[in-house]
Amino acid sequence: MMKRQATAFALAALLLLLLSPVAHASVESICKTITKKDPTGIVYLFCVKTLKSIIPEIDAVNVRGLAFIATKLSSIQATHVTEKIEELLKSSQDKAEKESLSTCNKQYSNLIDNLDSALSAIKESRKDDAVKNLSSSAEAPRDCEKAFKDTGAMSPLAVEDGVQRFLSAIALGITKLI
């Protein structure tokens, strides 16, 4: 089911990219622009690899379409993390871990709402609203990790939160370029 969803998403994204009448640029140039303050280059490589995995055959993409794709990828990741949080909440016996997971669940619920609003704003060419919603979404993975640190529990979501941070940053950076 998830694979079918990803295929349908990729086709819809491709159509959006091809049919939108806005400026075009390469994935690499867009990723370079939004990650220029990253001295390690890790976010740049993550950006290029992630976006090229969705649209490997396209050399030039429109920025609005790419912002939509990046935001949708962030939303898919947030949904995945939420599902994992719910599984962990059911199985956890540790009070501190459950408390942290509950905080994460609230954070990711808000994150998904913000990403849905951002997707609508991007589709409707409301850049400022999209940026506002994406800016709010960048805090959820950090707040989730902070909840574990505050309770002294070990985070079982560190990798997922890291991926979510990168995807949120990429979506926000590209949306600012619209």
Side-chain angles (χ1 to χ4, degrees), residues 79-93:
T79 300
H80 165 73
V81 176
T82 300
E83 290 167 357
K84 183 170 181 177
I85 291 168
E86 290 169 0
E87 288 175 20
L88 290 167
L89 275 168
K90 289 178 187 172
S91 64
S92 179
Q93 301 298 316

Side-chain angles (χ1 to χ4, degrees), residues 31 34-35 38 40-49 166 169-170:
C31 288
I34 67 169
T35 64
D38 173 31
T40 65
I42 293 170
V43 179
Y44 169 78
L45 294 173
F46 182 86
C47 179
V48 171
K49 185 174 180 172
F166 280 170
I170 290 166

Side-chain angles (χ1 to χ4, degrees), residues 57-108:
E57 301 300 321
I58 298 177
D59 291 326
V61 296
N62 79 58
V63 178
R64 188 170 72 90
L66 198 57
F68 184 87
I69 289 170
T71 303
K72 187 65 176 173
L73 287 173
S74 186
S75 180
I76 290 168
Q77 173 68 11
T79 300
H80 165 73
V81 176
T82 300
E83 290 167 357
K84 183 170 181 177
I85 291 168
E86 290 169 0
E87 288 175 20
L88 290 167
L89 275 168
K90 289 178 187 172
S91 64
S92 179
Q93 301 298 316
D94 183 71
K95 184 180 175 187
E97 183 180 67
K98 276 193 174 235
E99 183 181 324
S100 300
L101 287 167
S102 292
T103 298
C104 292
N105 205 22
K106 289 175 195 164
Q107 291 294 325
Y108 272 89

Side-chain angles (χ1 to χ4, degrees), residues 148-161:
F148 284 101
K149 186 177 180 182
D150 290 349
T151 62
M154 184 77 137
S155 174
L157 301 169
V159 171
E160 290 85 353
D161 285 335

